[in-house]
Amino acid sequence: VCPPSPVPAGVGAGVVEVERSVTAVLGQDVVLPCRYRAQEQEQVEQVTWLKRGPGGRSAEVAVLHRQHGQHVQEPYAGRVLRRADGALEDGAIVLRN
């Protein structure tokens, strides 16, 4: 997950909160939480979800964008949903089935 763009020196940045591990049950939906605790006057523009594969290579799963909405890569289309509407400070997604 990508936090907002870098902040100028001397300005505090928010904190990305994620779970260290998430347990999923085969055949059931699972929530992958991600929350950004923004500092004053910060706004999340985009959240990018990546899947880390063999050898540390990453593949894009989904992009949540404040203005352009949600884009899910083809292998995950119909299986990845945003958990909540509204501000992207809550960038959690649901993986279906």
Side-chain angles (χ1 to χ4, degrees):
V1 179
C2 295
S5 299
V7 178
V11 177
V15 176
V16 176
E17 298 174 341
V18 295
E19 295 293 325
R20 185 156 181 83
S21 96
V22 175
T23 302
V25 177
L26 186 63
Q28 294 186 9
D29 296 353
V30 64
V31 174
L32 299 180
C34 177
R35 175 164 290 283
Y36 184 73
R37 282 191 299 148
Q39 295 295 312
E40 207 173 305
Q41 298 187 356
E42 282 187 312
Q43 183 173 2
V44 177
E45 291 291 321
Q46 177 174 305
V47 175
T48 302
W49 280 92
L50 303 171
K51 179 181 179 181
R52 187 169 299 144
R57 296 183 64 158
S58 295
E60 186 177 282
V61 172
V63 175
L64 313 176
H65 194 278
R66 188 172 68 85
Q67 291 181 322
H68 302 293
Q70 170 180 301
H71 175 74
V72 178
Q73 293 298 327
E74 188 54 41
Y76 306 98
R79 293 189 53 223
V80 173
L81 309 167
R82 244 189 108 187
R83 181 176 66 175
D85 291 330
L88 286 176
E89 281 73 13
D90 181 357
I93 58 172
V94 177
L95 292 178
R96 300 191 62 206
N97 192 15

